Amino acid sequence: MLVTDYETALAYIHSRPRLHKEANLNRMTQLLAGLGNPQENQQFIHVTGTNGKGSVVKMVSCLIEELGLKVGRYTSPFIMRFNERIAINQSPISDADLVVVTQQIQAAIAQIQTTDAEFEVTEFECITAMMFLYFKQQKVDVAVVEVGIGGLYDSTNVLTPLISVITSIGLDHQALLGKTLAEIATQKAGIIKAKQPVVVGQLPKEALAVVEETANRLNSALAISGRDFSTTAIKTLATWGQQLTFQNDTVTYKQLQIPLMGDYQIENAAVALQVFWCYLQLTQQKLAVRDIKNGLRRVNWPGRFEKINDEPLIILDGAHNPEGVAQLVQTTRHQFKNRDIYLLFGALGDKNLAQMLPALKKIATRMMLTTVPDNPRAATATQYAAVDDTLLFEPDWPMALTKLLADVSADDVLLVTGSLYLISTIRQYFKGE
């Protein structure tokens, strides 16, 4: 397949295998060497976590932009369009630039294959190499990079970070990362680099012990949420958002606002603000509190407790693992304690349905399950029924949505949650984009 335009570029990217059996960075380092090692001599903030990493990446990038810098952002998956994954100052890579870097990746792979016919890279490795190459070409001042899965063997873990960030650690991707919190923490702590500072959210004791041991061994300064920094929720805003105060041992920032709902976003803001404060210290820069407020006000993150309709109130939230569902349940109970909740849920079959379904059922006036569209990993009716055969299942999500909406009144809440692949599809349906 020859990459000649945007459509063939996407087809080429998506034709790469999803996973490799070998857990190492050899393919990534070989590909980057063929591209001239674009990841070198760039500044990065590296972010991992079971949940919250996308929100923290968005907050940190918006804050650093207030310094007048050119800030790269790398996230996954996309919600509306593939280009969202690679952005500079919140503007996604253009179709034309995406084609150019994909052509360069294709040429580099072809060159390596002339001496190593078996060489191949995964889809995520391909996209990550594109990101490094594009940010190098565009001469970004700093890039905030989200880990794909885990950390230690993630394709992004070839960079040298200014700051490493671990937002949260829970039980997810256990087939790849390990069955216990300690094993998963070992993978995520793999992004910690010698003598480079680390910022972490509120972690379970078992996971925090691993992170602390890794940071101490590598002589990396460690800032822990709840010990070294914190946020205090002040109030919910009528305009869909929250007001908070941030404090660490040196500064206190009052009357900050984020246009995001969800109790967990208060904690994400704590991590993001500490990362930003750390960045200011490392780069010896200062920023007025009013500029910090401006940066936070610009934060938006589609598909994360996002309101897409007022009457009835329709919310999209990509809670796709037990920790994410627990946070969603807590927020829903807090914000909508006296309202009926109609809930549509669709997940991938390799997720922990046994923990998620009972928790969601407790907050729902009526709950319906559906199939994540166009995804071979989507949970099936049989998998759902093995957990709870009393829940209604409608495989066609438009029909499921229609059935739920038929019972929803203007003052009720319709909550659509589960896989971000489902959220992406439904968001495009409502937004018409």
Side-chain angles (χ1 to χ4, degrees):
M1 178 191 305
L2 185 63
V3 174
T4 57
D5 54 22
Y6 182 74
E7 286 71 27
T8 54
L10 288 186
Y12 176 79
I13 294 164
H14 296 322
S15 70
R16 304 299 92 199
R18 183 171 175 268
L19 294 172
H20 264 297
K21 292 181 180 180
E22 307 85 7
N24 59 57
L25 295 171
N26 295 344
R27 296 175 306 278
M28 195 67 199
T29 54
Q30 192 174 354
L31 174 57
L32 290 172
L35 293 165
N37 286 314
Q39 80 282 7
E40 295 181 352
N41 301 314
Q42 291 199 62
Q43 289 192 353
F44 298 101
I45 294 172
H46 203 192
V47 184
T48 191
T50 302
N51 292 299
K53 56 185 181 292
S55 297
V56 168
V57 166
K58 187 62 182 277
M59 291 183 197
V60 171
S61 60
C62 284
L63 286 164
I64 296 178
E65 284 171 27
E66 292 297 316
L67 293 166
L69 299 179
K70 196 172 188 178
V71 184
R73 189 189 79 226
Y74 183 53
T75 55
S76 59
F78 67 92
I79 296 296
M80 302 297 284
R81 202 162 185 264
F82 177 86
N83 304 47
E84 296 166 22
R85 299 184 64 169
I86 303 172
I88 297 177
N89 287 5
Q90 312 309 320
S91 296
I93 183 173
S94 69
D95 291 358
D97 285 338
L98 187 141
V99 170
V100 170
V101 293
T102 306
Q103 289 172 331
Q104 292 170 322
I105 299 293
Q106 185 177 43
I109 292 174
Q111 179 61 40
I112 295 169
Q113 288 174 338
T114 61
T115 55
D116 182 359
E118 300 299 315
F119 180 79
E120 188 54 277
V121 297
T122 66
E123 179 177 354
F124 189 70
E125 287 168 336
C126 177
I127 301 167
T128 301
M130 290 167 54
M131 173 270 295
F132 284 130
L133 190 59
Y134 179 63
F135 288 164
K136 186 75 167 183
Q137 292 170 351
Q138 297 296 317
K139 299 179 180 178
V140 301
D141 295 303
V142 60
V144 190
V145 174
E146 178 186 342
V147 165
I149 294 178
L152 181 62
Y153 298 117
D154 187 75
S155 306
T156 61
N157 203 29
V158 293
L159 58 79
T160 300
L162 281 175
I163 308 166
S164 299
V165 187
I166 304 174
T167 59
S168 64
I169 294 177
L171 296 174
D172 197 14
H173 298 294
Q174 289 163 277
L176 297 172
L177 303 181
K179 296 187 181 302
T180 68
L181 287 172
E183 289 173 337
I184 294 171
T186 299
Q187 292 295 316
K188 296 191 185 298
I191 71 167
I192 299 174
K193 301 297 191 297
K195 299 181 180 179
Q196 300 302 123
V198 187
V199 176
V200 302
Q202 295 183 8
L203 307 182
K205 184 177 179 180
E206 183 183 349
L208 182 58
V210 173
V211 172
E212 287 186 299
E213 186 281 324
T214 305
N216 290 336
R217 175 165 41 84
L218 295 174
N219 196 24
S220 300
L222 178 62
I224 302 171
S225 178
R227 186 192 75 178
D228 303 302
F229 63 92
S230 63
T231 47
T232 303
I234 305 301
K235 63 180 180 181
T236 298
L237 304 175
T239 54
W240 196 262
Q242 302 175 87
Q243 185 178 102
L244 57 97
T245 295
F246 169 82
Q247 52 273 322
N248 62 22
D249 294 339
T250 306
V251 298
T252 297
Y253 300 141
K254 296 182 178 180
Q255 295 184 324
L256 304 178
Q257 296 181 4
I258 52 173
L260 303 171
M261 293 290 280
D263 299 353
Y264 54 91
Q265 294 294 8
I266 298 292
E267 168 64 10
N268 289 337
V271 173
L273 285 160
Q274 180 65 21
V275 170
F276 179 61
W277 182 84
C278 185
Y279 178 79
L280 292 177
Q281 308 315 301
L282 289 172
T283 57
Q284 298 184 320
Q285 299 184 76
K286 293 183 178 181
L287 196 65
V289 175
R290 67 176 180 274
D291 296 316
I292 294 173
K293 290 180 179 180
N294 288 337
L296 289 178
R297 284 195 192 103
R298 293 193 298 110
V299 174
N300 63 79
W301 204 222
R304 279 72 169 186
F305 214 82
E306 179 190 16
K307 178 179 70 172
I308 58 170
N309 194 70
D310 284 302
E311 291 186 4
L313 179 59
I314 301 177
I315 297 169
L316 304 181
D317 188 82
H320 57 274
N321 53 46
E323 184 183 55
V325 164
Q327 293 171 342
L328 174 62
V329 168
Q330 177 184 339
T331 297
T332 303
R333 282 178 168 156
H334 179 206
Q335 298 294 340
F336 309 118
K337 61 182 68 175
N338 296 317
R339 297 170 74 170
D340 285 338
I341 308 296
Y342 291 79
L343 199 149
L344 178 61
F345 177 79
L348 300 182
D350 56 0
K351 297 299 180 178
N352 193 331
L353 300 177
Q355 285 193 34
M356 294 190 287
L357 293 183
L360 291 170
K361 187 178 180 179
K362 287 179 181 179
I363 62 168
T365 303
R366 186 183 183 203
M367 180 172 170
M368 187 171 292
L369 307 175
T370 192
T371 304
V372 177
D374 304 318
N375 196 308
R377 295 162 56 213
T380 63
T382 301
Q383 288 173 306
Y384 286 133
V387 177
D388 189 335
D389 60 5
T390 68
L391 290 170
L392 298 171
F393 173 73
E394 170 53 63
D396 181 55
W397 71 260
M399 181 58 68
L401 198 60
T402 300
K403 288 179 178 179
L404 280 177
L405 282 169
D407 292 335
V408 175
S409 64
D411 57 353
D412 294 334
V413 178
L414 173 60
L415 178 58
V416 181
T417 188
S419 170
L420 281 168
Y421 296 106
L422 175 67
I423 299 302
S424 173
T425 300
I426 294 180
R427 190 178 193 274
Q428 290 181 45
Y429 169 79
F430 277 103
K431 293 289 188 178
E433 299 172 10

